[in-house]
Amino acid sequence: MSEKSTNKHHWAPGAASGVGSMPGGDAREAVKTVTGSLEALPYLPELPARGPGADMIGRTAGMLVELYAHVEPSGWRISDRPGRDTRRARAWMGEDLDALEEFTQGYQGALKVSAVGPWTLAASLELRGGEVALSDPGACRDLTASLVEGCRAHLAEVRRRVPGAEVVLQLDEPSLTSVLRGSVRSASGYRTHAAVDRGVVEGALRTLVEAAGGPVVVHSCAPAVPFGLLRRAGVEGISFPLSLLTESEEEAIGEAVEGGTALLIGAVPGTDTPLSDPAGSVSGVRTLWRRLGLSPETLAESVVITPSCGLAGASPGYARAALAHCVQAARSLADNPE
């Protein structure tokens, strides 16, 4: 493999990874599975089955600096001081990092950790009155600033514990399209919050990309991922499920690949199902490449194969099989790009 192709991204060509969540509540077991299955781009798994604080929003709320949140019947709400829910989220993150450190002794290479991005966080965290932070531009700015500091501290901690790692930050932004379209519902459910200006959305994401001090990937499992906006914000990669792609996005994907953006493509089902042969799982990726007129040689270095979304809803056996299947499917793309 030429020097050029190996250094295009922070992970080796033909890599596979996961999206984030794993089934069960045992951090050591989950980290052992992930690090044992994925050689090129392992990740710190999330275990939402443990309860509030281990879920995507609660876990990231626990990372915020000088902003706290607690659980209400309606969801996570910003609070004045750290309470039981914050302490629990931080304790679980500590357990996860201990497990990560244990199973990555001597590891050298890319390692992915995730946090909820500023816009999904703003569309999910409630202010004291019950409306989400998205309803208040000042609250959105405060939330982004707090998240920037929280991510910076989290990344520093991961780098300290796994000194050989090139840490990749994944921002989970499933609500990004709804924020841009103005389709996030109010607390009453009778109206929607106004669409946020694209420049403001892009600016907040760019602030996080710049603060990360390393590669950033944005994941969305919602339709109509804004590829162009994410590229302008400076992300290294965009993660999305293959099944949600429509023809209208193909041109933007072609431009992204030609501009050097990595695609983390969810091509393997995230919940229990009989798996086809690995080459069959990525036939849609090959077809996409042909339709876009992209060179087959760029396939393995531009694409990382992942499950279609998190694996929290899968059985432990299937989760292991799905990660192994992603590795084989990615290898098949590298060996037979056409």
Side-chain angles (χ1 to χ4, degrees):
M1 197 147 300
S2 75
E3 191 62 22
K4 178 175 168 288
S5 66
T6 318
N7 293 337
K8 185 172 175 184
H9 291 298
H10 290 80
W11 47 84
S17 193
V19 172
S21 63
M22 289 286 281
D26 184 331
R28 289 183 74 254
E29 190 56 42
V31 172
K32 184 180 174 186
T33 298
V34 166
T35 53
S37 306
L38 304 168
E39 285 175 15
L41 189 51
Y43 63 98
L44 177 63
E46 298 166 14
L47 301 173
R50 292 183 291 196
D55 60 300
M56 194 169 92
I57 299 297
R59 182 182 171 95
T60 300
M63 288 164 55
L64 295 174
V65 172
E66 291 178 9
L67 266 184
Y68 311 101
H70 64 277
V71 182
E72 290 278 340
S74 52
W76 284 89
R77 184 169 294 183
I78 291 171
S79 38
D80 296 321
R81 59 185 68 84
R84 186 185 59 196
D85 297 326
T86 299
R87 286 193 294 274
R88 189 167 45 200
R90 289 177 177 174
W92 274 327
M93 181 65 89
E95 264 179 47
D96 295 346
L97 290 170
D98 287 347
L100 184 71
E101 188 174 356
E102 179 184 346
F103 289 105
T104 52
Q105 295 291 317
Y107 176 75
Q108 303 269 334
L111 172 67
K112 188 159 69 71
V113 299
S114 49
V116 175
W119 296 107
T120 297
L121 205 55
S124 308
L125 274 184
E126 298 172 359
L127 300 172
R128 287 171 189 80
E131 281 302 349
V132 290
L134 189 67
S135 63
D136 177 341
C140 289
R141 286 191 293 274
D142 291 349
L143 200 51
T144 298
S146 174
L147 181 62
V148 162
E149 293 310 315
C151 285
R152 215 180 247 145
H154 182 54
L155 293 169
E157 177 71 1
V158 175
R159 288 175 185 128
R160 185 182 68 73
R161 287 171 179 256
V162 193
E166 169 82 46
V167 185
V168 178
L169 173 64
Q170 174 179 304
L171 296 173
D172 292 315
E173 281 284 18
S175 301
L176 187 57
T177 304
S178 304
V179 167
L180 289 165
R181 288 181 169 175
S183 56
V184 175
R185 295 212 158 273
S186 66
S188 67
Y190 292 126
R191 56 183 190 84
T192 54
H193 295 292
V196 180
D197 178 85
R198 294 181 83 84
V200 173
V201 170
E202 187 186 313
L205 288 165
R206 188 182 299 109
T207 306
L208 273 142
V209 169
E210 288 167 356
V216 175
V217 168
V218 169
H219 169 73
S220 174
C221 47
V225 176
F227 287 94
L229 181 150
L230 293 173
R231 284 180 57 215
R232 288 192 300 277
V235 306
E236 170 151 346
I238 301 172
S239 167
F240 59 93
L242 185 62
S243 61
L244 291 183
L245 269 195
T246 62
E247 274 183 39
S248 60
E249 282 132 341
E250 288 189 1
E251 190 179 333
I253 288 179
E255 286 171 4
V257 172
E258 286 173 347
T261 306
L263 304 179
L264 288 81
I265 300 182
V268 175
T271 47
D272 293 40
T273 189
L275 292 166
S276 68
D277 69 302
S281 294
V282 285
S283 61
V285 180
R286 289 194 185 88
T287 307
L288 174 68
W289 232 245
R290 278 198 297 274
R291 273 208 307 273
L292 294 174
L294 294 166
S295 154
E297 289 77 67
T298 63
L299 196 48
E301 63 181 31
S302 299
V303 171
V304 173
I305 296 299
T306 73
S308 58
C309 215
L311 293 167
S315 66
Y318 178 81
R320 276 194 299 278
L323 291 178
H325 193 86
C326 287
V327 170
Q328 293 167 319
R331 200 166 291 145
S332 116
L333 275 188
D335 294 345
N336 307 300
E338 299 186 65

